[in-house]
Amino acid sequence: MAKGKRVKRIGILTGGGDCPGLNAVIRGVTKPAHDNGLSVLGILDGFEGLVEARGKELYNKDVSGILAQGGTILGSSNKGDPFHWPENVEGKIKIVDRSEQALRNYEAWGLDALIAIGGDGTMHIAHKLSQMGMNVVGVPKTIDNDLQATDVTFGHDSAVFVVTEAIDRLHTTASSHHRVMVIETMGRYAGWIALHGGLAGGADILLLPEFPFEWDKVYEKVMQRHMMGKRFSIVCVAEGAKPKGGDLVVRAKDKKRTDPIQLGGIGELVAKKITENTGLETRYTILGHLQRGGSPTPYDRILSTKFGTYAIHLALKKRFGRMAALKGSEITSVKIEDAIAKQKLVTADNQGVQAALAVGISFGVEF
Ligand code: F6P
């Protein structure tokens, strides 16, 4: 965009897996954009819509009443990476680069900036597009909370709320039937959802991707509780957790995605091994996409609204190539390239981990 030219028209898209709070960000961007005389193009289905030129004008009436709505009014996709585009060639999927097409559509729409709301994958794409000359501003979303550059991503709190409620419910049935209950959470390669949900729900064992666990330690903890007369146990396991020297449990692979691996199934394995090795009756629950659906918590509504309004502020100031971020209690911004440099993972010295240990929760491993 020419020097001195004002930002007059922005595009907005939601990329990757959805989560509660996306609509609150869209509202937080669109309302102040119109107040500042900008027009807003909603790009449909994430980067897919950018490559295929699918979008619709967003007016205030479109974002009115969506603050508390889960999902995204724009649609999303984790298969539309312009740099890793799955083309169907005679019934076979061929991966091609369609980033030039994405740039051409951006220009044809007359966009001065693009607001990309998404997680790690979306920010990688946003960074590459900004290197091609697109003016991009990022907003960090993901229930996984695994972006280093922001203290919290929106969507995480809502997912933790779901896990907590589920564990509360499992507690009552576990104690009635004197069973071990295993609950599997999402989170990909990061254990934040399991750690925070497990802490809030009062799980007895937490198995996280960051700390490969020992089977014996898991059985030991369950048996210890049993011996003490506590006739049930709750095990909260993240989908990316794996035993020491073992492999991730992969449900499926889909090469249309930038990361083809679909995790899932470790909860079932943990339940089976506990029954086999302790003789205790065990059941498992996979929470799956319940963690991504539904209305955002008040915390996420507030964070999303702050992120959205901050993103439009960044665009108006032409601070492109930056992502809104929460640092302490302040919203600020970081370079997108710094945001994607490091994944945020749970470490042993994390206060949540230390608090869990202090109240007797086992991680299935000696620290
Ligand atoms: O990144 C968010 C997330 O929900 C992960 O926790 C999970 O592994 C993944 O997305 C599931 O993706 P999908 O909805 O494509 O199966």
Side-chain angles (χ1 to χ4, degrees):
M1 121 181 243
K3 225 175 157 212
K5 189 182 172 247
R6 261 189 70 219
V7 171
K8 287 195 179 140
R9 179 161 170 75
I10 56 157
I12 179 169
L13 63 79
T14 51
D18 70 340
C19 77
L22 285 167
N23 285 328
V25 178
I26 296 169
R27 172 179 174 268
V29 167
T30 306
K31 285 196 166 193
H34 285 297
D35 284 349
N36 281 279
L38 275 65
S39 64
V40 182
L41 180 80
I43 297 167
L44 304 178
D45 302 331
F47 290 105
E48 252 180 52
L50 186 61
V51 171
E52 294 172 343
R54 289 187 290 115
K56 63 170 185 190
E57 295 301 319
L58 283 186
Y59 303 101
N60 277 349
K61 68 173 174 45
D62 299 309
V63 297
S64 178
I66 65 169
L67 171 67
Q69 244 177 55
T72 159
I73 59 164
L74 296 176
S76 192
S77 167
N78 40 27
K79 292 182 186 148
D81 180 347
F83 300 91
H84 184 97
W85 183 264
E87 201 118 282
N88 195 330
V89 183
E90 288 160 11
K92 284 208 163 152
I93 298 297
K94 198 174 153 217
I95 302 299
V96 295
D97 186 342
R98 297 286 304 276
S99 54
E100 283 296 339
Q101 183 63 52
L103 187 59
R104 277 199 296 276
N105 292 339
Y106 168 90
E107 286 165 352
W109 272 323
L111 298 179
D112 298 316
L114 172 70
I115 296 189
I117 312 167
D120 187 45
T122 300
M123 292 310 143
H124 271 94
I125 298 167
H127 178 54
K128 287 200 253 175
L129 290 174
S130 65
Q131 283 177 320
M132 291 173 72
M134 226 181 257
N135 296 325
V136 188
V137 169
V139 179
K141 155 249 68 160
T142 165
I143 61 166
D144 304 341
N145 196 35
D146 59 350
L147 283 180
Q148 183 69 43
T150 180
D151 289 355
V152 185
T153 53
F154 75 85
H156 179 64
D157 188 64
S158 303
V160 169
F161 182 83
V162 173
V163 176
T164 307
E165 205 201 356
I167 296 180
D168 286 350
R169 289 174 185 270
L170 288 175
H171 256 111
T172 61
T173 170
S175 82
S176 307
H177 286 269
H178 318 303
R179 283 173 172 158
V180 180
M181 289 291 190
V182 178
I183 177 169
E184 179 183 308
T185 71
M186 280 187 166
R188 287 195 87 68
Y189 308 112
W192 296 107
I193 300 177
L195 173 66
H196 292 148
L199 254 183
D204 306 299
I205 301 177
L206 294 178
L207 304 178
L208 311 186
E210 292 85 347
F211 314 130
F213 60 89
E214 291 170 38
W215 286 113
D216 285 344
K217 294 255 180 322
V218 176
Y219 312 144
E220 208 175 278
K221 176 71 181 178
V222 171
M223 286 314 289
Q224 217 178 58
R225 283 179 53 82
H226 187 70
M227 302 300 191
M228 284 161 60
K230 297 188 170 177
R231 297 178 62 201
F232 72 91
S233 290
I234 306 281
V235 184
C236 180
V237 52
E239 62 180 1
K242 57 181 180 190
K244 253 188 192 161
D247 293 321
L248 286 170
V249 180
V250 175
R251 183 176 299 289
K253 286 194 181 168
D254 181 353
K255 75 174 196 178
K256 289 188 200 150
R257 303 159 61 129
T258 319
D259 178 355
I261 289 180
Q262 191 190 337
L263 294 169
I266 181 72
E268 183 178 357
L269 178 67
V270 169
K272 184 169 164 276
K273 297 275 280 181
I274 290 176
T275 306
E276 283 170 3
N277 290 276
T278 65
L280 298 174
E281 196 177 34
T282 309
R283 296 284 191 271
Y284 68 91
T285 302
I286 299 179
L287 271 184
H289 292 82
L290 289 174
Q291 294 157 99
R292 292 224 313 246
S295 190
T297 57
Y299 179 87
D300 274 338
R301 294 180 199 190
I302 295 166
L303 185 60
S304 302
T305 304
K306 285 185 182 173
F307 274 156
T309 53
Y310 199 82
I312 200 72
H313 159 84
L314 288 174
L316 285 169
K317 293 262 176 240
K318 295 193 193 173
R319 300 195 68 202
F320 303 128
R322 300 189 75 82
M323 183 189 84
L326 178 73
K327 294 280 178 199
S329 54
E330 290 294 304
I331 308 289
T332 171
S333 73
V334 293
K335 280 191 190 160
I336 294 179
E337 63 178 297
D338 293 342
I340 57 177
K342 206 167 162 228
Q343 200 182 20
K344 182 170 67 182
L345 296 173
V346 180
T347 52
D349 61 357
N350 175 274
Q351 284 190 341
V353 173
Q354 292 301 319
L357 290 169
V359 295
I361 297 174
S362 164
F363 287 85
V365 68
E366 211 70 67
F367 285 110

